mmCIF file of all heavy atoms in Angstrom:
data_model
loop_
_atom_site.group_PDB
_atom_site.id
_atom_site.type_symbol
_atom_site.label_atom_id
_atom_site.label_comp_id
_atom_site.label_asym_id
_atom_site.label_seq_id
_atom_site.Cartn_x
_atom_site.Cartn_y
_atom_site.Cartn_z
ATOM 1 N N VAL A 214 -18.399 -5.297 -67.942
ATOM 2 C CA VAL A 214 -17.732 -4.137 -68.536
ATOM 3 C C VAL A 214 -18.725 -3.309 -69.348
ATOM 4 O O VAL A 214 -18.739 -2.069 -69.280
ATOM 5 C CB VAL A 214 -16.547 -4.580 -69.416
ATOM 6 C CG1 VAL A 214 -16.032 -3.409 -70.255
ATOM 7 C CG2 VAL A 214 -15.425 -5.141 -68.556
ATOM 8 N N GLU A 239 -15.122 28.119 -64.627
ATOM 9 C CA GLU A 239 -15.840 29.377 -64.450
ATOM 10 C C GLU A 239 -16.245 29.571 -62.990
ATOM 11 O O GLU A 239 -16.074 30.668 -62.419
ATOM 12 C CB GLU A 239 -17.074 29.367 -65.352
ATOM 13 C CG GLU A 239 -17.817 30.687 -65.418
ATOM 14 C CD GLU A 239 -19.000 30.621 -66.373
ATOM 15 O OE1 GLU A 239 -19.727 29.594 -66.357
ATOM 16 O OE2 GLU A 239 -19.196 31.583 -67.132
ATOM 17 N N ASP A 271 -15.064 14.436 -60.609
ATOM 18 C CA ASP A 271 -14.055 13.560 -59.992
ATOM 19 C C ASP A 271 -14.566 12.125 -59.907
ATOM 20 O O ASP A 271 -13.810 11.174 -60.133
ATOM 21 C CB ASP A 271 -13.695 14.061 -58.594
ATOM 22 C CG ASP A 271 -12.885 15.356 -58.628
ATOM 23 O OD1 ASP A 271 -12.389 15.709 -59.720
ATOM 24 O OD2 ASP A 271 -12.765 16.012 -57.568
ATOM 25 N N GLY A 272 -15.866 11.974 -59.570
ATOM 26 C CA GLY A 272 -16.439 10.632 -59.467
ATOM 27 C C GLY A 272 -16.442 9.917 -60.800
ATOM 28 O O GLY A 272 -16.098 8.727 -60.886
ATOM 29 N N TYR A 273 -16.795 10.639 -61.856
ATOM 30 C CA TYR A 273 -16.792 10.042 -63.195
ATOM 31 C C TYR A 273 -15.380 9.617 -63.597
ATOM 32 O O TYR A 273 -15.160 8.497 -64.089
ATOM 33 C CB TYR A 273 -17.341 11.029 -64.223
ATOM 34 C CG TYR A 273 -17.163 10.541 -65.641
ATOM 35 C CD1 TYR A 273 -18.082 9.667 -66.210
ATOM 36 C CD2 TYR A 273 -16.052 10.926 -66.401
ATOM 37 C CE1 TYR A 273 -17.908 9.185 -67.503
ATOM 38 C CE2 TYR A 273 -15.865 10.447 -67.686
ATOM 39 C CZ TYR A 273 -16.792 9.582 -68.235
ATOM 40 O OH TYR A 273 -16.608 9.096 -69.500
ATOM 41 N N LYS A 274 -14.411 10.516 -63.401
ATOM 42 C CA LYS A 274 -13.027 10.214 -63.787
ATOM 43 C C LYS A 274 -12.488 9.012 -63.019
ATOM 44 O O LYS A 274 -11.775 8.167 -63.582
ATOM 45 C CB LYS A 274 -12.146 11.433 -63.556
ATOM 46 C CG LYS A 274 -12.375 12.559 -64.545
ATOM 47 C CD LYS A 274 -11.429 13.727 -64.274
ATOM 48 C CE LYS A 274 -11.555 14.809 -65.340
ATOM 49 N NZ LYS A 274 -10.655 15.959 -65.077
ATOM 50 N N LEU A 289 -3.159 -8.381 -68.794
ATOM 51 C CA LEU A 289 -1.821 -8.801 -68.355
ATOM 52 C C LEU A 289 -1.870 -10.185 -67.714
ATOM 53 O O LEU A 289 -0.998 -11.021 -67.947
ATOM 54 C CB LEU A 289 -1.254 -7.779 -67.362
ATOM 55 C CG LEU A 289 -0.826 -6.432 -67.949
ATOM 56 C CD1 LEU A 289 -0.471 -5.452 -66.830
ATOM 57 C CD2 LEU A 289 0.357 -6.612 -68.888
ATOM 58 N N ALA A 302 -9.010 -8.887 -60.509
ATOM 59 C CA ALA A 302 -9.506 -7.789 -61.345
ATOM 60 C C ALA A 302 -10.987 -7.970 -61.676
ATOM 61 O O ALA A 302 -11.743 -6.996 -61.726
ATOM 62 C CB ALA A 302 -8.680 -7.698 -62.626
ATOM 63 N N GLU A 303 -11.404 -9.204 -61.910
ATOM 64 C CA GLU A 303 -12.820 -9.461 -62.200
ATOM 65 C C GLU A 303 -13.693 -9.122 -60.996
ATOM 66 O O GLU A 303 -14.788 -8.557 -61.145
ATOM 67 C CB GLU A 303 -13.005 -10.924 -62.604
ATOM 68 C CG GLU A 303 -12.473 -11.247 -63.989
ATOM 69 C CD GLU A 303 -12.635 -12.708 -64.364
ATOM 70 O OE1 GLU A 303 -12.756 -13.549 -63.442
ATOM 71 O OE2 GLU A 303 -12.645 -13.011 -65.576
ATOM 72 N N ASN A 329 -30.707 18.188 -50.254
ATOM 73 C CA ASN A 329 -30.917 18.641 -48.875
ATOM 74 C C ASN A 329 -31.068 17.494 -47.869
ATOM 75 O O ASN A 329 -31.332 16.355 -48.234
ATOM 76 C CB ASN A 329 -32.179 19.510 -48.793
ATOM 77 C CG ASN A 329 -32.031 20.830 -49.530
ATOM 78 O OD1 ASN A 329 -31.175 20.983 -50.394
ATOM 79 N ND2 ASN A 329 -32.866 21.783 -49.190
ATOM 80 N N MET A 350 -41.273 -0.894 -36.842
ATOM 81 C CA MET A 350 -40.429 -1.663 -37.770
ATOM 82 C C MET A 350 -39.998 -0.792 -38.956
ATOM 83 O O MET A 350 -38.845 -0.850 -39.403
ATOM 84 C CB MET A 350 -41.181 -2.899 -38.259
ATOM 85 C CG MET A 350 -41.427 -3.951 -37.196
ATOM 86 S SD MET A 350 -42.589 -5.248 -37.741
ATOM 87 C CE MET A 350 -41.643 -6.038 -39.065
ATOM 88 N N VAL A 366 -28.953 10.454 -38.030
ATOM 89 C CA VAL A 366 -30.388 10.384 -37.768
ATOM 90 C C VAL A 366 -30.683 10.975 -36.389
ATOM 91 O O VAL A 366 -30.108 10.552 -35.388
ATOM 92 C CB VAL A 366 -30.905 8.928 -37.828
ATOM 93 C CG1 VAL A 366 -32.406 8.887 -37.568
ATOM 94 C CG2 VAL A 366 -30.570 8.299 -39.176
ATOM 95 N N SER A 370 -39.522 14.036 -32.774
ATOM 96 C CA SER A 370 -40.709 13.900 -31.932
ATOM 97 C C SER A 370 -41.128 12.439 -31.913
ATOM 98 O O SER A 370 -40.811 11.678 -32.829
ATOM 99 C CB SER A 370 -41.865 14.775 -32.448
ATOM 100 O OG SER A 370 -42.290 14.349 -33.724
ATOM 101 N N VAL A 425 -42.126 12.170 -46.376
ATOM 102 C CA VAL A 425 -40.775 12.727 -46.476
ATOM 103 C C VAL A 425 -40.847 14.167 -46.965
ATOM 104 O O VAL A 425 -41.520 14.456 -47.968
ATOM 105 C CB VAL A 425 -39.918 11.885 -47.451
ATOM 106 C CG1 VAL A 425 -38.508 12.448 -47.561
ATOM 107 C CG2 VAL A 425 -39.876 10.426 -46.995
ATOM 108 N N GLY A 453 -40.140 5.559 -22.659
ATOM 109 C CA GLY A 453 -39.143 5.412 -21.608
ATOM 110 C C GLY A 453 -37.779 5.810 -22.099
ATOM 111 O O GLY A 453 -37.544 6.049 -23.266
ATOM 112 N N ILE A 466 -47.290 22.923 -33.626
ATOM 113 C CA ILE A 466 -47.672 24.090 -34.426
ATOM 114 C C ILE A 466 -48.633 23.636 -35.519
ATOM 115 O O ILE A 466 -48.343 22.706 -36.270
ATOM 116 C CB ILE A 466 -46.439 24.767 -35.060
ATOM 117 C CG1 ILE A 466 -45.484 25.271 -33.962
ATOM 118 C CG2 ILE A 466 -46.863 25.926 -35.959
ATOM 119 C CD1 ILE A 466 -44.236 25.955 -34.508
ATOM 120 N N GLN A 484 -36.142 25.536 -27.956
ATOM 121 C CA GLN A 484 -35.565 24.698 -29.011
ATOM 122 C C GLN A 484 -36.674 24.029 -29.823
ATOM 123 O O GLN A 484 -36.592 23.937 -31.050
ATOM 124 C CB GLN A 484 -34.649 23.644 -28.393
ATOM 125 C CG GLN A 484 -33.979 22.728 -29.405
ATOM 126 C CD GLN A 484 -33.156 21.637 -28.740
ATOM 127 O OE1 GLN A 484 -33.374 21.311 -27.569
ATOM 128 N NE2 GLN A 484 -32.211 21.076 -29.477
ATOM 129 N N ARG A 486 -39.713 25.130 -30.379
ATOM 130 C CA ARG A 486 -40.347 26.103 -31.268
ATOM 131 C C ARG A 486 -39.523 26.289 -32.538
ATOM 132 O O ARG A 486 -40.063 26.346 -33.644
ATOM 133 C CB ARG A 486 -40.514 27.451 -30.556
ATOM 134 C CG ARG A 486 -41.673 27.495 -29.569
ATOM 135 C CD ARG A 486 -41.681 28.811 -28.818
ATOM 136 N NE ARG A 486 -42.791 28.880 -27.890
ATOM 137 C CZ ARG A 486 -43.924 29.544 -28.105
ATOM 138 N NH1 ARG A 486 -44.097 30.178 -29.253
ATOM 139 N NH2 ARG A 486 -44.883 29.573 -27.214
ATOM 140 N N ASP A 499 -42.357 21.910 -49.454
ATOM 141 C CA ASP A 499 -42.687 20.675 -50.160
ATOM 142 C C ASP A 499 -44.054 20.802 -50.830
ATOM 143 O O ASP A 499 -44.259 20.374 -51.970
ATOM 144 C CB ASP A 499 -42.675 19.516 -49.168
ATOM 145 C CG ASP A 499 -43.035 18.191 -49.813
ATOM 146 O OD1 ASP A 499 -42.269 17.737 -50.681
ATOM 147 O OD2 ASP A 499 -44.077 17.623 -49.459
ATOM 148 N N GLN A 510 -51.197 15.809 -55.431
ATOM 149 C CA GLN A 510 -51.860 16.833 -54.638
ATOM 150 C C GLN A 510 -51.043 17.107 -53.399
ATOM 151 O O GLN A 510 -50.111 16.388 -53.087
ATOM 152 C CB GLN A 510 -53.287 16.409 -54.277
ATOM 153 C CG GLN A 510 -53.365 15.134 -53.459
ATOM 154 C CD GLN A 510 -54.799 14.713 -53.236
ATOM 155 O OE1 GLN A 510 -55.685 15.530 -53.166
ATOM 156 N NE2 GLN A 510 -55.005 13.427 -53.126
ATOM 157 N N GLY A 520 -54.516 3.072 -45.157
ATOM 158 C CA GLY A 520 -55.130 1.754 -45.248
ATOM 159 C C GLY A 520 -55.238 1.297 -46.689
ATOM 160 O O GLY A 520 -54.469 1.695 -47.550
ATOM 161 N N ILE A 525 -48.146 1.981 -51.348
ATOM 162 C CA ILE A 525 -47.154 2.006 -52.423
ATOM 163 C C ILE A 525 -46.321 0.723 -52.431
ATOM 164 O O ILE A 525 -45.728 0.375 -53.441
ATOM 165 C CB ILE A 525 -46.212 3.217 -52.308
ATOM 166 C CG1 ILE A 525 -45.399 3.161 -51.000
ATOM 167 C CG2 ILE A 525 -47.001 4.520 -52.411
ATOM 168 C CD1 ILE A 525 -44.268 4.157 -50.940
ATOM 169 N N MET A 535 -42.052 -11.954 -49.477
ATOM 170 C CA MET A 535 -41.947 -11.084 -50.634
ATOM 171 C C MET A 535 -42.175 -9.624 -50.237
ATOM 172 O O MET A 535 -43.050 -9.313 -49.438
ATOM 173 C CB MET A 535 -42.959 -11.445 -51.718
ATOM 174 C CG MET A 535 -42.815 -10.612 -52.991
ATOM 175 S SD MET A 535 -44.147 -10.917 -54.189
ATOM 176 C CE MET A 535 -45.516 -10.117 -53.359
ATOM 177 N N LYS A 537 -42.892 -6.159 -52.457
ATOM 178 C CA LYS A 537 -43.161 -5.707 -53.825
ATOM 179 C C LYS A 537 -43.583 -4.251 -53.829
ATOM 180 O O LYS A 537 -44.468 -3.844 -53.080
ATOM 181 C CB LYS A 537 -44.257 -6.558 -54.473
ATOM 182 C CG LYS A 537 -44.548 -6.139 -55.916
ATOM 183 C CD LYS A 537 -45.521 -7.090 -56.604
ATOM 184 C CE LYS A 537 -45.740 -6.677 -58.057
ATOM 185 N NZ LYS A 537 -46.630 -7.607 -58.776
ATOM 186 N N THR A 548 -36.907 -10.483 -47.613
ATOM 187 C CA THR A 548 -37.689 -9.596 -46.746
ATOM 188 C C THR A 548 -36.871 -9.092 -45.557
ATOM 189 O O THR A 548 -36.980 -7.925 -45.179
ATOM 190 C CB THR A 548 -38.945 -10.309 -46.227
ATOM 191 O OG1 THR A 548 -38.564 -11.534 -45.574
ATOM 192 C CG2 THR A 548 -39.890 -10.627 -47.372
ATOM 193 N N GLN A 549 -36.037 -9.961 -44.988
ATOM 194 C CA GLN A 549 -35.243 -9.531 -43.836
ATOM 195 C C GLN A 549 -34.223 -8.480 -44.246
ATOM 196 O O GLN A 549 -33.977 -7.512 -43.514
ATOM 197 C CB GLN A 549 -34.530 -10.725 -43.189
ATOM 198 C CG GLN A 549 -33.888 -10.394 -41.839
ATOM 199 C CD GLN A 549 -34.900 -9.824 -40.844
ATOM 200 O OE1 GLN A 549 -35.937 -10.422 -40.587
ATOM 201 N NE2 GLN A 549 -34.598 -8.654 -40.292
ATOM 202 N N GLY A 554 -32.869 -2.487 -43.977
ATOM 203 C CA GLY A 554 -32.426 -1.273 -44.642
ATOM 204 C C GLY A 554 -31.944 -1.416 -46.067
ATOM 205 O O GLY A 554 -31.417 -0.464 -46.647
ATOM 206 N N VAL A 568 -38.054 9.970 -63.811
ATOM 207 C CA VAL A 568 -37.415 10.651 -64.938
ATOM 208 C C VAL A 568 -37.970 10.170 -66.268
ATOM 209 O O VAL A 568 -38.276 10.944 -67.170
ATOM 210 C CB VAL A 568 -35.883 10.445 -64.901
ATOM 211 C CG1 VAL A 568 -35.239 10.989 -66.169
ATOM 212 C CG2 VAL A 568 -35.310 11.132 -63.674
#
Side-chain angles (χ1 to χ4, degrees):
V214 168
E239 188 178 42
D271 289 346
Y273 171 84
K274 288 182 175 179
L289 288 172
E303 287 179 338
N329 293 20
M350 292 169 66
V366 181
S370 64
V425 180
I466 299 180
Q484 181 184 21
R486 283 175 179 259
D499 179 64
Q510 60 185 329
I525 62 169
M535 184 187 72
K537 181 173 182 178
T548 55
Q549 190 56 54
V568 172

